[in-house]
Amino acid sequence: MTDDRSRVMLGRLRAIDWGDDAAAYEHANSRALLMREYLRRTAAWAKAYDAEASWPFLDIAQLVASEVGIAPEVATELEEALTGVAPSSLKRTCRAAVRWAALGHAAVELPSDLPEDPYEPLLVMFERGGGYFVEEFIDLNGAMVRLGTVESNLAAPPFLTLAPTTLDALDAEGDITYYAKISDEYTRNNLRGIVRRRTDEGQTYDEAFTRNLRWEPTEYLRLYELGHNEVDHVEISAVEAARFIETAVTKLTAMR
């Protein structure tokens, strides 16, 4: 019987437009975060199975249960779908993702202390603008990601928010710095709100993520710099900003 999970994964891969340069640039920020999360998750698996030499574009299913394969017809269709796709490591990870999906059908028991769905961030990244090329950096056609080492990626903060709404909110042109509003009541782990300063082609844009679940212009940073705003703030990472956005979207959507 054909493994439905493998076929679902095959369907996702078939639907990807590998040459969608416009989407790659539009989603450059989120694609970079997704690639970093893929590197982090696979680093954990590679270390656990002494496969650092094969990281990061490795077949985890082969390490976990080499006896589990995919149906011959799925394998044939997969190779047809990957015709013309480059580089070779991209093809390898696509095959690995399909094999990973087969593990669920085979009810293989997986270690509970390792990241779940190691290929999901990469698949979501593909769906938001295609693949990548590896040179001195990982070139995502709109963003560059440093490969680093297994150890450096293990130390990276997890990026667990893969919802399209959150990812879309992270995508914008220009250099972006995020800030969190804080006070005695609202700490870095319980943010009052977030703003971002975006610089693009010499122009600066200050925006706040509002209850309307979108970025809107704000005077907060300018007023603070002029000494007219007593609400304090700290610089935060894109991962922290994503966490706030995800929480806000979930909470406010439930209230509507």
Side-chain angles (χ1 to χ4, degrees), residues 2-63:
T2 301
D3 178 359
D4 288 343
R5 298 190 189 187
S6 295
R7 187 160 288 283
V8 168
M9 183 63 72
L10 173 61
R12 289 179 67 182
L13 291 170
R14 276 176 162 169
I16 293 167
D17 183 349
W18 299 104
D20 192 349
D21 294 346
Y25 278 94
E26 179 184 355
H27 299 305
N29 295 344
S30 61
R31 278 167 51 83
L33 287 164
L34 290 164
M35 173 58 82
R36 292 190 185 104
E37 176 61 11
Y38 166 76
L39 295 174
R40 186 192 71 83
R41 294 189 188 188
T42 53
W45 283 91
K47 187 173 183 63
Y49 283 85
D50 295 323
E52 289 96 330
S54 300
W55 178 84
F57 305 114
L58 71 170
D59 187 341
I60 297 173
Q62 176 68 24
L63 300 174

Side-chain angles (χ1 to χ4, degrees), residues 122-203:
L122 193 67
L123 265 293
V124 177
M125 192 205 81
F126 290 159
E127 291 167 339
R128 297 177 70 81
Y132 60 82
F133 291 93
V134 181
E135 297 175 345
E136 184 177 352
F137 295 84
I138 301 177
D139 185 347
L140 304 181
N141 196 13
M144 295 284 193
V145 175
R146 185 181 297 277
L147 177 59
T149 64
V150 167
E151 295 299 333
S152 67
N153 280 278
L154 282 174
F159 179 66
L160 306 177
T161 50
L162 305 185
T165 302
T166 304
L167 296 174
D168 289 345
L170 298 171
D171 288 322
E173 295 183 357
D175 296 325
I176 299 174
T177 304
Y178 294 98
Y179 301 94
K181 296 180 181 179
I182 59 172
S183 63
D184 292 338
E185 181 180 357
Y186 294 95
T187 66
R188 191 164 186 151
N189 294 322
N190 177 33
L191 303 181
R192 175 175 180 171
I194 62 172
V195 297
R196 70 182 183 188
R197 172 158 287 177
R198 185 166 58 87
T199 304
D200 184 39
E201 296 184 349
Q203 296 294 316

